[in-house]
Amino acid sequence: MTRELTVDLTSVAGAAVLRPGGDIDMSCAPAVRKAVANIMRDRPERLIIDLSAVAYMDSSGIATLVEALQQSMRNKIKLVLVGVTPQVHSAFEITKLVSMFTIVATLKDASNA
Amino acid sequence: MTRELTVDLTSVAGAAVLRPGGDIDMSCAPAVRKAVANIMRDRPERLIIDLSAVAYMDSSGIATLVEALQQSMRNKIKLVLVGVTPQVHSAFEITKLVSMFTIVATLKDASNA
Amino acid sequence: MDREPCISVRLFSDPKLLSPIRAFVDGLSKSIGFSEKSRGLLSLAVDEALANVIRHGYSERTDGLIWLNIWRLHEPAGLRIVLEDLGRSVDPTLIKGRNLADVRPGGLGVHIIKETMTESKWEMRPGGGMRLTLVKLLAPEERENSSPTQSENCTP
Amino acid sequence: MDREPCISVRLFSDPKLLSPIRAFVDGLSKSIGFSEKSRGLLSLAVDEALANVIRHGYSERTDGLIWLNIWRLHEPAGLRIVLEDLGRSVDPTLIKGRNLADVRPGGLGVHIIKETMTESKWEMRPGGGMRLTLVKLLAPEERENSSPTQSENCTP
Ligand SMILES: Nc1ncnc2c1ncn2[C@@H]1O[C@H](COP(=O)(O)OP(=O)(O)O)[C@@H](O)[C@H]1O
Ligand SMILES: Nc1ncnc2c1ncn2[C@@H]1O[C@H](COP(=O)(O)OP(=O)(O)O)[C@@H](O)[C@H]1O
């Protein structure tokens, strides 16, 4: 378990990839929020959030993603979610937010979605 | 989650394969014990216990296996353990019983060990 | 309620304790026969309820007391969890999920709790604080997995 | 002991509750920074201690009371768990692991507990029953993973 934020900036496609790890709950969502804000400041064309290492997310995590979506729309950044695990998908479903987001299966799809 | 016991009898090699699933603790070890005793009664040449679906085992599970080993030696049945998961391996290690058992990596090895 | 709760937990209002409590709720609901999906939602609902107590009841103080009293239910099978705290008391009618059409961050917890649970009821606790009663019954297809006599966590 | 326990759990001496308690201990020790291997052994040690209370303290009755009081320790970082019961009281010197050279089923629980924990102490409880104090400190290599200020269950 490292506590460092993993951010890969794939310069080729102009896409930033954020890959949070662990559970995103009340105690951890603020750190993800900050990481998203930092990336937004660089105005990438595309922000890919890879959730494949996130086994659990509660409403604070979802709120963080909704906020990111709103910021990305304002800044004309394409936001794509990839690697949504089952519990995280349930949380999106029960809050009826699945359709709000562009969700794809693989990182490759995320560059084209 | 089925509660049925899965026992494959591979007639070719004269080996019985017992594959318990779930956690083997105080509340569950008696059922495994009974299953082992049933198989022993048929006197197979070889009893393979496949533990790959057992993520957790405590000393009641270990006691059951030690008893099985002693019975198998009395009855000249070759007992082989396969698919030992990390926690189960730790439990064997800490009780210094690793060397008592024939432990192999794959089911294929288990027929030849 | 049948007899005493099978498990009572007392914890501090510390967000660091959310993760172990989720693991515990997941393990308990597994032993009762809930499907993996139901278990994920149950852990989520309890997490949301605790997060609300920490955030709204105790204004993010980490030294507030929270009690979880837990019952296994039989016929119909399920789980009852009663959460109590000594934090701010609010009129239960003010605790409502927001309109999901209004997309904004926040305001999802109560919605998640109500959608997930068979029953959810907020009350002001007589001695101060709030009491939240949560009940989730097994779905018909989950009932086959639940056996009151045999141990639930193994397929020997 | 620093302050009050961060979590107190009261449960019945029911073997069906072992599995959710293990999940809880695993989650808690993860949040403290224990490695996966240490977590597996910690859950095992607590399981063995509870199984002994159920078997020897309560002769397998399922309605005996058991209390778990849990502290996070700081400097050095770790976990303290105190188990109490109202079952049979025995002279602590009689609670000993068996000689492992004598291979037979049973008699492994106390050995596992002593090997796993940094400290383990059995006492007769003044009001009846037994008290078992378990302490496990983080190993040096685990300490890097433990941060008292930041949340432990995420790598944002
Ligand atoms: N335990 C509680 N104590 C006091 N107020 C609460 C509690 N739980 C919920 N509420 C109230 O209900 C509202 C909706 O809660 P929720 O849907 O979880 O959204 P959020 O917590 O993001 O505001 C909260 O804003 C709060 O006013
Ligand atoms: N909580 C307890 N209350 C009373 N006696 C105990 C307790 N825990 C352990 N003992 C005693 O210590 C012995 C060794 O325990 P253990 O190593 O777990 O093996 P086992 O439970 O298989 O006998 C037990 O047989 C019992 O006599």
Side-chain angles (χ1 to χ4, degrees):
Chain A
M1 264 208 299
T2 46
R3 297 226 141 37
E4 296 308 303
L5 179 67
T6 357
V7 188
D8 299 340
L9 278 165
T10 39
S11 47
V12 183
V17 181
L18 179 69
R19 193 168 189 280
D23 291 1
I24 307 189
D25 65 7
M26 184 183 183
S27 70
C28 174
V32 176
R33 192 165 174 269
K34 219 160 110 185
V36 170
N38 277 343
I39 297 182
M40 292 276 183
R41 217 167 289 136
D42 292 342
R43 297 288 161 96
E45 280 171 38
R46 183 178 289 262
L47 169 53
I48 299 169
I49 304 185
D50 178 355
L51 296 169
S52 53
V54 176
Y56 178 86
M57 188 185 280
D58 74 4
S59 71
S60 0
I62 293 188
T64 306
L65 293 181
V66 169
E67 204 188 342
L69 184 65
Q70 292 174 330
Q71 282 181 18
S72 69
M73 294 194 296
R74 273 198 301 277
N75 296 322
K76 301 201 165 47
I77 296 169
K78 176 75 187 170
L79 179 74
V80 184
L81 305 185
V82 64
V84 175
T85 54
Q87 190 279 340
V88 175
H89 202 267
S90 296
F92 274 123
E93 264 173 6
I94 204 166
T95 52
K96 307 212 166 53
L97 289 167
V98 192
S99 59
M100 294 284 308
F101 289 91
T102 306
I103 301 180
V104 299
T106 67
L107 259 182
K108 217 178 136 203
D109 299 337
S111 310
N112 310 317
Chain B
M1 264 209 300
T2 46
R3 295 222 146 39
E4 295 309 303
L5 179 65
T6 358
V7 188
D8 299 338
L9 279 167
T10 40
S11 47
V12 183
V17 181
L18 179 69
R19 193 170 190 278
D23 291 1
I24 307 188
D25 65 7
M26 184 183 183
S27 69
C28 175
V32 176
R33 192 164 175 269
K34 219 160 109 186
V36 170
N38 277 342
I39 297 181
M40 293 275 183
R41 216 165 292 136
D42 292 342
R43 298 286 161 97
E45 281 170 37
R46 181 179 290 260
L47 169 53
I48 299 168
I49 305 187
D50 177 356
L51 295 169
S52 54
V54 175
Y56 179 86
M57 187 185 282
D58 74 4
S59 71
S60 359
I62 293 186
T64 307
L65 293 180
V66 169
E67 204 188 343
L69 183 66
Q70 292 174 329
Q71 283 181 18
S72 69
M73 292 192 301
R74 273 198 301 278
N75 296 322
K76 304 204 164 44
I77 297 169
K78 175 76 188 169
L79 179 72
V80 183
L81 305 184
V82 65
V84 175
T85 54
Q87 190 279 340
V88 174
H89 201 267
S90 297
F92 274 124
E93 265 173 5
I94 204 166
T95 51
K96 309 212 165 53
L97 289 167
V98 192
S99 60
M100 294 286 307
F101 289 92
T102 306
I103 301 181
V104 299
T106 67
L107 260 181
K108 217 176 136 204
D109 298 337
S111 309
N112 309 317
Chain C
M1 304 206 185
D2 355 36
R3 50 165 196 174
E4 287 183 80
C6 73
I7 301 204
S8 300
V9 182
R10 200 205 64 195
L11 66 153
F12 283 109
S13 53
D14 185 340
K16 286 180 187 159
L17 300 175
L18 292 175
S19 155
I21 294 291
R22 286 195 301 267
F24 166 70
V25 171
D26 184 74
L28 185 68
S29 47
K30 184 175 185 179
S31 80
I32 289 173
F34 285 101
S35 68
E36 191 170 348
K37 177 155 185 167
S38 296
R39 277 151 46 205
L41 287 171
L42 249 168
S43 304
L44 177 61
V46 174
D47 172 292
E48 297 292 344
L50 289 171
N52 276 347
V53 171
I54 297 172
R55 196 179 291 124
H56 305 297
Y58 286 117
S59 312
E60 317 223 352
R61 268 173 47 204
T62 57
D63 61 350
L65 285 173
I66 304 175
W67 290 267
L68 289 174
N69 281 304
I70 300 165
W71 286 260
R72 280 164 178 272
L73 304 178
H74 304 283
E75 300 169 53
L79 185 64
R80 177 195 288 115
I81 304 184
V82 177
L83 278 96
E84 295 188 288
D85 67 74
L86 297 172
R88 203 161 59 87
S89 256
V90 299
D91 178 352
T93 60
L94 297 177
I95 300 185
K96 43 177 186 266
R98 71 168 167 77
N99 184 347
L100 292 183
D102 162 25
V103 176
R104 55 170 181 80
L108 297 169
V110 170
H111 173 84
I112 289 172
I113 294 168
K114 287 188 173 166
E115 280 289 309
T116 299
M117 307 307 296
T118 312
E119 189 190 319
S120 55
K121 189 176 84 200
W122 282 262
E123 299 164 279
M124 287 161 97
R125 241 183 111 260
M130 297 294 289
R131 176 190 293 135
L132 169 56
T133 302
L134 301 173
V135 173
K136 188 167 177 73
L137 301 179
L138 289 181
E141 66 276 18
E142 289 169 326
R143 260 171 238 155
E144 296 152 30
N145 298 332
S146 135
S147 119
T149 49
Q150 214 195 318
S151 166
E152 287 94 344
N153 56 340
C154 51
T155 65
Chain D
M1 304 204 183
D2 355 37
R3 48 164 199 178
E4 287 183 81
C6 74
I7 301 203
S8 301
V9 181
R10 200 205 64 195
L11 66 154
F12 283 108
S13 53
D14 185 341
K16 286 182 186 157
L17 299 176
L18 292 175
S19 155
I21 294 291
R22 288 196 299 267
F24 166 71
V25 172
D26 184 74
L28 186 67
S29 48
K30 184 175 185 180
S31 80
I32 289 173
F34 285 102
S35 69
E36 192 170 348
K37 177 155 185 169
S38 296
R39 278 150 47 202
L41 287 170
L42 249 168
S43 305
L44 176 61
V46 174
D47 173 291
E48 297 292 344
L50 288 171
N52 276 347
V53 171
I54 297 172
R55 196 180 292 125
H56 305 296
Y58 286 117
S59 311
E60 317 223 353
R61 268 172 48 204
T62 58
D63 62 350
L65 285 172
I66 304 175
W67 290 266
L68 290 174
N69 281 304
I70 301 165
W71 287 260
R72 280 164 179 273
L73 304 178
H74 305 282
E75 300 169 52
L79 185 64
R80 177 195 288 114
I81 304 184
V82 177
L83 279 97
E84 295 186 289
D85 67 74
L86 297 173
R88 202 162 59 87
S89 257
V90 298
D91 178 350
T93 59
L94 298 177
I95 299 184
K96 46 175 184 266
R98 70 166 168 78
N99 184 347
L100 293 183
D102 162 25
V103 175
R104 55 171 180 82
L108 297 169
V110 169
H111 173 84
I112 289 173
I113 294 167
K114 288 188 172 165
E115 279 290 308
T116 298
M117 306 309 295
T118 312
E119 188 190 319
S120 54
K121 190 177 84 201
W122 281 262
E123 299 164 279
M124 288 162 97
R125 242 184 110 258
M130 296 297 285
R131 175 190 293 136
L132 169 56
T133 302
L134 301 173
V135 173
K136 190 168 175 72
L137 301 179
L138 289 181
E141 65 277 17
E142 290 170 325
R143 261 171 236 155
E144 296 153 30
N145 298 332
S146 136
S147 120
T149 51
Q150 214 194 318
S151 166
E152 287 93 346
N153 56 339
C154 51
T155 65

